Amino acid sequence: MIRYMVKNNFKLMFRNKWAVAMMLLGPVLVIAVLSSAFSELMKSYEGVAEFTVGYRAEKDSQMSDYMESIKHMGKESGITFYEYPQGEPEDVMANNELAGFVEFTKEEYVLYQSADYEVEGMTLEYFLSRVISESIDTSLENRNIIWESDVKLPIQKLEFMPAVDARDYYGIVYIVYFCWCGMVCATGVLSNERKYGIERKFQVSNLSEVQLYIGKFLPITMMVAVGMAAATVITILLFDIHWGAPLLSAVIVLIMILAGNAFGMMIYNISQNLVITIIVLFTGVWIMGFFGGSFETYMFSSMPDMAKQLSPIYHGNRALVELSCMGGSKYVGSAIIYSLAITVICSATAIFISKIRKRGRA
């Protein structure tokens, strides 16, 4: 009986074309739009190519004797120095499209930077600081001055997140997001049950509430899993999305599908209204996605960490994205445990409410 129920419900869901289209095309369209829109935001820094700067050195400047060496070291570092003895530094930079300008005076140097070449300006500033520092060290060595120190600096290795491509990020997190919206696939089944009184007929059968629940829960899960698998394959082929540890990633996605469907079934069994169910479900998923990094990437998010940790979507997103770019993640365990806990609690609640309603009708 339960096998017939699962098979029949699965067929009914396929008749709801718009729900099938949403689960299949929804992730593909959203990933296509967002990965393109935010590609520049998440683009990794690639450094700067060679650039040109101007300089001017007074005759009594301490650095005037070292200019040929500075120009030679600059050439090796991709910085070309051109001398401009006349003119205001700002005008010289604007007229010659220079990334910066350096004035070497008697006791100091003045660095001018262009707002259009911020990275080049920082590179030039670092280069000059190293040159001045090495010049001082060389001068001290020539005077036979030896510095000794017993100071030991503490060394600490910091954890860091490698750069993530926008296509990979949104190609992963929106598969997770749509997993939690899978209950929309059940609209055809649930609406038919209410319309033709099928639910009442099942309740007077010898099927238990657990079997009735599984008869709906299993085909919904199968439907969403098929849709997400197809969407994942399409986005991989179209956008070259990189998933890390495919088998483990598939397990995490499947468990999150279970959690999303259990959450939706619990809402439906409480409300007994399909419209209310969809509204509450979408609102809840939107909130979890908002804190979970579906809209604002969790790397750039300003939300409190405690709020993010409460979202099961956050744990799934972090686990899958870090598996993709790092090959491992400490959030794998929490993503699986959190989703399984939601599945068990929500399923138990849904079955318990169904039992209470059945006793009330008896």
Side-chain angles (χ1 to χ4, degrees):
M1 182 67 176
I2 189 172
R3 185 185 303 175
Y4 168 78
M5 185 178 178
V6 170
K7 182 179 178 181
N8 187 60
N9 286 340
F10 195 72
K11 289 181 178 179
L12 285 175
M13 283 187 289
F14 265 109
R15 293 179 182 176
N16 194 344
K17 299 294 190 297
W18 73 269
V20 175
M22 176 185 172
M23 296 308 298
L24 180 61
L25 300 179
V28 177
L29 295 176
V30 173
I31 291 168
V33 172
L34 293 184
S35 63
S36 175
F38 293 104
S39 58
E40 288 298 320
L41 175 66
M42 300 182 65
K43 190 175 181 180
S44 60
Y45 172 67
E46 298 177 352
V48 295
E50 298 181 358
F51 59 94
T52 304
V53 299
Y55 78 93
R56 181 182 303 150
E58 296 180 358
K59 291 183 179 180
D60 55 353
S61 169
Q62 295 180 1
M63 301 303 295
S64 59
D65 297 334
Y66 300 100
M67 279 313 303
E68 290 304 319
S69 298
I70 292 175
K71 292 167 71 174
H72 177 71
M73 287 186 289
K75 197 73 174 179
E76 292 181 347
S77 302
I79 305 173
T80 302
F81 285 85
Y82 280 113
E83 185 176 11
Y84 293 90
Q86 303 295 328
E88 292 295 326
E90 293 86 350
D91 295 335
V92 173
M93 291 170 58
N95 295 333
N96 298 277
E97 297 184 355
L98 302 177
F101 193 93
V102 189
E103 276 190 324
F104 295 100
T105 61
K106 184 177 180 180
E107 296 181 354
E108 62 181 4
Y109 71 90
V110 181
L111 173 62
Y112 297 85
Q113 298 182 11
S114 171
D116 297 329
Y117 298 91
E118 292 185 6
V119 177
E120 289 84 350
M122 289 188 288
T123 304
L124 176 61
E125 184 176 3
Y126 175 75
F127 171 80
L128 290 173
S129 67
R130 287 296 304 272
V131 168
I132 301 300
S133 176
E134 291 178 5
S135 298
I136 294 174
D137 292 343
T138 302
S139 177
L140 292 174
E141 288 177 4
N142 292 336
R143 295 180 185 182
N144 297 320
I145 299 178
I146 302 175
W147 294 87
E148 294 182 359
S149 176
D150 293 330
V151 178
K152 294 183 179 180
L153 298 177
I155 299 175
Q156 182 179 3
K157 292 184 178 180
L158 301 177
E159 295 183 0
F160 69 96
M161 180 83 172
V164 183
D165 184 78
R167 290 180 300 176
D168 289 345
Y169 182 85
Y170 287 108
I172 292 172
V173 301
Y174 271 96
I175 293 295
V176 173
Y177 186 80
F178 275 86
C179 285
W180 281 82
C181 300
M183 189 64 185
V184 71
C185 292
T187 53
V189 175
L190 300 178
S191 61
N192 279 334
E193 283 187 353
R194 303 290 293 180
K195 184 177 181 180
Y196 299 108
I198 299 175
E199 187 178 20
R200 290 181 178 274
K201 296 177 182 178
F202 278 127
Q203 285 179 341
V204 297
S205 67
N206 60 350
L207 291 175
S208 66
E209 292 301 322
V210 175
Q211 290 175 315
L212 290 173
Y213 179 82
I214 293 175
K216 300 174 187 175
F217 183 78
L218 190 57
I220 297 172
T221 300
M222 293 168 59
M223 182 68 184
V224 179
V226 170
M228 291 301 99
T232 300
V233 171
I234 292 172
T235 53
I236 289 174
L237 295 175
L238 291 180
F239 311 116
D240 193 27
I241 307 298
H242 299 94
W243 289 77
L247 183 59
L248 180 57
S249 296
V251 170
I252 295 173
V253 171
L254 179 59
I255 294 175
M256 297 197 80
I257 291 173
L258 296 175
N261 291 340
F263 180 61
M265 288 292 292
M266 180 188 70
I267 297 172
Y268 179 74
N269 281 12
I270 292 173
S271 67
Q272 288 291 289
N273 186 296
L274 191 57
V275 175
I276 294 176
T277 299
I278 297 300
I279 293 174
V280 174
L281 175 65
F282 278 32
T283 302
V285 173
W286 189 94
I287 293 172
M288 290 188 290
F290 179 76
F291 289 102
S294 295
F295 310 112
E296 181 183 26
T297 56
Y298 62 78
M299 289 89 75
F300 305 141
S301 176
S302 58
M303 299 296 171
D305 188 65
M306 182 179 295
K308 291 188 288 187
Q309 293 286 344
L310 292 174
S311 170
I313 290 180
Y314 174 75
H315 293 263
N317 284 347
R318 283 210 65 162
L320 292 169
V321 171
E322 291 178 5
L323 282 173
S324 174
C325 66
M326 299 168 58
S329 174
K330 64 180 181 180
Y331 282 86
V332 170
S334 61
I336 293 175
I337 294 172
Y338 202 169
S339 296
L340 285 177
I342 292 173
T343 303
V344 173
I345 293 171
C346 291
S347 295
T349 303
I351 293 171
F352 177 72
I353 292 172
S354 294
K355 287 183 178 180
I356 291 177
R357 280 210 168 87
K358 187 175 183 180
R359 289 174 185 174
R361 293 192 184 101

